[in-house]
Amino acid sequence: MTGNKLAVLLACFSRTDEAGKARKQLDSELRSTGAPVLDAVVLSVDKRHRAKVHDPGRLLAGTLVPLVTWGLFGLVANGWVGVVIWAPLGALCGFLNTYYSVHHASKAELATIGKELPPESSALLLFSEVGDPGDLLAGAAKLSPTTASVVGVADDLSVAGSTWASGAAVPEAGPVPRDAAAALASMIVVRYRSPGTARTIATKVKSNHAVATAVQIELVVRTDPRGRRHVADPTFGAAAMVRSNIVSWGLFGLVVGAISGAFGGGILRVGLLTGIGWAVFGIFAGALYGLWAGRSISGRRLRSVSSLLPDGTSAILAWTSGPPPGPVLDALSDITSEHAIVAFVPSGSGAVVRSGGL
């Protein structure tokens, strides 16, 4: 046991812009003390209870990667004129796609969250590693949230936490039962005693339609016997983005080429060649986007929580709407696996994080 814990903080605010401001302040304070910030997600709810979520850490990479890749393709296709046209367009498309689409919350989950949280409010979900999660809660309480809560996940995957309310921090009332209907969503961490098991389990889950529609696998982590960590995102990682870009870029290139061919060179010949060229370049662009923007966590950033991921093991981080159904836990588990569940439960002025029970 290292003594440090993976801390999961949820702070809710009464205004839509306050969570973003709180993220910047907490991020600065944590970094000044040497505590690593693994990830942060900002959620906002409008006056019609529509929720949207984005990962601020991905926005810069999500904007710069398309700016560079689209600009390079414009340079190859049309010289410097192409750079002037395609680079800004790529940056704009990359920003919008990253802001609105690159996250693991499903439409159903966002609809449920938006319905339960107060209108025109916001929330910050932050992951860090600290010695005492209560210190992180105290830092968040200084920012005047409507409610704030934190749980710490120890090396043995035990979960405990506390909630700030009415000016004081109080221990959590107890774990939320697995079948508690009150949970808005649940985060599941499953650890396996073999470095290859997580990937095998993730593949089986994907092939099981009933289970795959009930769970969102965000990360598959493998730690080899020499301690090197390898991270994959089945939805927004490099492999997934390459497959997506081959199709989307290829079709877009086919249309552009066909239009150009109509004015000379032949629609079929120019369109086909342009489509192939864009598809090939899409492989390069998709790989970069998946590596730098689509995947929020890298193996290097996970060094701070290496005690949760011992050498020769693997793990899955997944999300479910509400409490995790029994079939989902069964599908994610094997005979030697261990798991931790963090539940997001509505409160009078927002939501709190609690141990999800066993």
Side-chain angles (χ1 to χ4, degrees):
M1 301 285 287
T2 64
N4 287 350
K5 295 181 179 180
L6 171 64
V8 182
L9 170 76
L10 177 64
C12 299
F13 299 88
S14 58
R15 293 174 54 184
T16 55
D17 61 342
E18 289 183 316
K21 295 177 181 177
R23 180 198 69 84
K24 294 178 181 178
Q25 187 165 338
L26 284 174
D27 186 282
S28 177
E29 291 179 359
L30 286 168
R31 293 184 190 279
S32 68
T33 62
V37 177
L38 297 175
D39 201 9
V41 178
V42 175
L43 179 141
S44 60
V45 181
D46 65 19
K47 61 183 179 181
R48 298 175 62 182
H49 285 277
R50 293 178 300 189
K52 62 181 180 181
V53 61
H54 73 278
D55 185 338
R58 302 188 192 194
L59 281 178
L60 181 60
T63 302
L64 291 180
V65 171
L67 182 148
V68 173
T69 54
W70 287 45
L72 286 175
F73 193 86
L75 179 65
V76 172
N78 303 106
W80 289 108
V81 174
V83 174
V84 173
I85 295 173
W86 290 106
L89 182 61
L92 176 62
C93 292
F95 175 85
L96 294 175
N97 181 65
T98 306
Y99 188 90
Y100 288 104
S101 301
V102 182
H103 57 76
H104 288 268
S106 67
K107 290 183 179 180
E109 288 171 337
L110 289 177
T112 301
I113 293 170
K115 181 180 178 180
E116 293 292 338
L117 296 186
E120 299 186 288
S121 65
S122 59
L124 169 66
L125 178 63
L126 186 144
F127 298 83
S128 182
E129 187 197 26
V130 295
D132 182 4
D135 293 340
L136 183 57
L137 181 64
K142 296 177 183 178
L143 304 177
S144 303
T146 55
T147 185
S149 55
V150 68
V151 295
V153 183
D155 295 355
D156 60 357
L157 296 187
S158 60
V159 181
S162 56
T163 300
W164 180 92
S166 302
V170 296
E172 65 176 11
V176 178
R178 184 191 301 176
D179 59 352
L184 295 172
S186 299
M187 182 185 81
I188 311 168
V189 179
V190 189
R191 184 170 63 195
Y192 311 94
R193 297 184 184 179
S194 166
T197 303
R199 182 176 180 179
T200 301
I201 294 290
T203 301
K204 290 181 179 179
V205 167
K206 184 178 179 180
S207 64
N208 186 330
H209 179 73
V211 174
T213 55
V215 64
Q216 298 280 335
I217 295 180
E218 179 169 351
L219 296 176
V220 178
V221 185
R222 172 173 61 91
T223 307
D224 64 30
R226 290 181 289 182
R228 292 183 298 185
R229 276 165 294 282
H230 309 268
V231 183
D233 183 334
T235 304
F236 298 111
M241 296 308 297
V242 164
R243 289 192 296 268
S244 173
N245 272 20
I246 288 177
V247 176
S248 60
W249 280 55
L251 290 175
F252 186 71
L254 185 64
V255 173
V256 172
I259 295 173
S260 299
F263 295 95
I267 294 176
L268 181 60
R269 184 173 68 85
V270 176
L272 184 60
L273 290 176
T274 305
I276 292 174
W278 278 69
V280 171
F281 201 82
I283 295 175
F284 168 70
L288 282 181
Y289 193 87
L291 284 172
W292 299 107
R295 187 184 63 185
S296 62
I297 300 294
S298 66
R300 177 182 57 82
R301 291 177 67 188
L302 286 176
R303 283 184 300 182
S304 62
V305 289
S306 58
S307 57
L308 282 172
L309 305 165
D311 298 354
T313 65
S314 58
I316 283 177
L317 171 64
W319 298 85
T320 65
S321 297
V328 167
L329 284 180
D330 292 341
L332 291 174
S333 303
D334 74 354
I335 194 170
T336 64
S337 63
E338 309 164 277
H339 69 263
I341 302 173
V342 176
F344 295 78
V345 183
S347 68
S349 53
V352 296
V353 284
R354 298 261 298 276
S355 166
L358 298 175

